[in-house]
Amino acid sequence: MIKRRVTSYDVAKLAGVSRSTVSFVLNNVDMQISEETKERVRAAAAQLGYVPDAAAQALVSRRSRIIGLIFTRAPHHIDDDIFLTQVLDGLLQTTQKHTMRLMLDLVEESSSAATYFELIQSKRIDGLIISCPRADDRAWRGLVEEGFPLVLMGLVPDRDICCVDVDNAAAARTAVEHLVSLGHTDIGCITNAPLSYPAAAERLEGYRSVLAAHGIEFRQEWVRYGDFTLESGYARMCSLLDQRRRPTAVFVASDVVAIGAMAAIRERGLRIPEDIAVVGFDDVPFARYATPPLTTAHLPAAELGRRAGEMLIDLINGRQPDEPHVLLDTHLVVRESCGANLLSGSAIHSQPDSVPAAGL
């Protein structure tokens, strides 16, 4: 026997109110309804296991209950980037909590403006999150001018634009300082992405600032520019190893890029960390299972997605966040790829040491 679907009429009957009142309460429509009545409606809905119909909710609230997430990447960048899947997991937790859905899109440089405004004009979404906005992309500023709810996952100087990020430069400084503390002065760098992405530029600046602080010469020939992928890490590391004088350590500003770099080192018959120490950035899940386990700056990826989602939902509901610019904490996770265990003479334990990032 098929169980009859619970309707708003059933909730209204149990709560002793009209169906309109049920609709207003469960869709958070701003009406003059007492808290006692609201609680009675919610209790009745919970008791009956009532699930509001999405189409009906949209009609009442004039909202789609969908938020958009845009990755400013080419499709092939997404294949390897486990960090983005962690961000997505945190964001999905938030949308599910608020009974909303998520629309995902990829935007490359040439199509950004058209895609942003198409999403708004079609009214398919209530708000938008842009992950890793590029420094040369100003299309999203038009959304702010239109008053459209927008959150960036990436720090921007404009105080009127909501964003969530980490202090990339500080986390990079902590990673490179660790290499210096181990005795390295010949330290190369492979960025996570082209410098048109602010996070890449900030991580490179963190690397350079540590060298300057210790009077270590900055060598442009020891810097390479990654492109989010394993392949780019492999190719850039090969290029570094082709130098007449190669570095004894390398800071790679992405774990995904670092895994590719480590493959190139091993292919040349070199040992990690005995011949070249490696420190990554992100602390994606597979970092601890790399060969050897990868020392890396830990970023709270899922929390990044969760906080961006909560901030956007506040904006959609007409609430201005108390903190429009949020910086999440990072720390260094020390494993075997940097060589710290060689100095101590003992293996790194399964619970790695953590070093707080400077400046956070």
Side-chain angles (χ1 to χ4, degrees):
M1 178 175 164
I2 299 175
K3 185 177 179 181
R4 186 177 70 85
R5 183 176 180 272
V6 176
T7 68
S8 61
Y9 174 81
D10 301 315
V11 178
K13 184 177 179 181
L14 180 61
V17 298
S18 69
R19 293 182 69 180
S20 296
T21 299
V22 170
S23 181
F24 290 145
V25 171
L26 297 184
N27 286 286
N28 296 312
V29 177
D30 188 14
M31 301 292 288
Q32 291 184 339
I33 301 172
S34 70
E35 285 301 318
E36 186 273 333
T37 300
K38 290 179 182 178
E39 286 302 317
R40 201 164 68 246
V41 170
R42 293 183 187 120
Q47 180 180 331
L48 296 172
Y50 173 63
V51 178
D53 179 73
Q57 282 187 306
L59 286 172
V60 172
S61 64
R62 296 184 181 179
R63 293 177 180 171
S64 65
R65 301 199 64 79
I66 300 173
I67 64 174
L69 171 63
I70 286 181
F71 290 131
T72 55
R73 307 280 182 87
H76 70 277
H77 290 157
I78 306 299
D79 294 341
D80 294 334
D81 204 333
I82 294 179
F83 181 80
L84 291 183
T85 64
Q86 293 178 280
V87 170
L88 192 58
D89 179 63
L91 182 53
L92 284 170
Q93 290 178 33
T94 299
T95 56
Q96 289 166 5
K97 171 185 171 183
H98 292 275
T99 62
M100 300 186 78
R101 290 181 293 163
L102 185 65
M103 177 185 293
L104 175 64
D105 208 342
L106 304 179
V107 173
E108 296 187 67
E109 182 176 357
S110 60
S111 63
S112 59
T115 300
Y116 298 162
F117 283 98
E118 179 188 345
L119 284 169
I120 292 177
Q121 291 168 356
S122 65
K123 301 186 185 302
R124 286 184 290 165
I125 60 173
D126 296 329
L128 182 64
I129 296 172
I130 300 177
S131 174
C132 301
R134 293 186 303 272
D136 57 356
D137 180 5
R138 290 294 178 264
W140 48 262
R141 293 185 184 277
L143 307 186
V144 178
E145 293 169 3
E146 292 283 334
F148 190 75
L150 173 70
V151 172
L152 303 180
M153 280 196 280
L155 193 63
V156 293
D158 308 59
R159 294 304 302 176
D160 59 338
I161 298 173
C162 293
C163 58
V164 182
D165 202 2
V166 299
D167 190 332
N168 286 283
R173 286 196 298 270
T174 301
V176 180
E177 282 281 5
H178 185 66
L179 288 171
V180 173
S181 75
L182 296 176
H184 293 285
T185 56
D186 292 351
I187 304 171
C189 176
I190 303 175
T191 70
N192 56 310
L195 298 188
S196 58
Y197 290 87
E202 291 160 11
R203 294 174 194 184
L204 178 61
E205 179 54 34
Y207 158 79
R208 293 191 64 161
S209 67
V210 171
L211 300 188
H214 290 275
I216 300 172
E217 179 187 2
F218 171 74
R219 302 170 64 100
Q220 185 63 56
E221 65 269 26
W222 281 354
V223 176
R224 296 293 184 274
Y225 303 97
D227 194 25
F228 298 109
T229 64
L230 293 162
E231 290 81 5
S232 70
Y234 176 86
R236 305 313 186 264
M237 192 69 232
C238 286
S239 176
L240 273 179
L241 295 176
D242 287 337
Q243 296 288 310
R244 179 174 299 179
R245 178 183 170 190
R246 68 170 184 253
T248 62
V250 61
F251 165 58
V252 188
S254 156
D255 288 350
V256 171
V257 178
I259 296 299
M262 293 169 75
I265 293 170
R266 289 193 300 269
E267 190 176 273
R268 296 292 181 95
L270 299 171
R271 299 167 300 166
I272 306 169
E274 292 86 351
D275 298 314
I276 299 182
V278 179
V279 173
F281 200 107
D282 289 336
D283 194 24
V284 297
F286 63 58
R288 69 184 305 161
Y289 303 109
T291 305
L294 180 62
T295 293
T296 181
H298 174 85
L299 271 65
E303 179 68 3
L304 190 69
R306 190 188 69 78
R307 292 289 292 273
E310 293 287 356
M311 188 179 289
L312 182 62
I313 289 169
D314 277 347
L315 291 174
I316 291 169
N317 291 325
R319 297 189 295 268
Q320 286 299 317
D322 294 333
E323 296 181 75
H325 285 198
V326 173
L327 281 180
L328 301 179
D329 291 336
T330 65
H331 60 268
L332 187 69
V333 179
V334 180
R335 300 191 180 103
E336 296 177 27
S337 68
C338 61
N341 61 315
L342 298 180
L343 293 182
S344 65
S346 60
I348 298 295
H349 297 293
S350 58
Q351 290 294 326
D353 297 326
S354 293
V355 181
L360 290 180

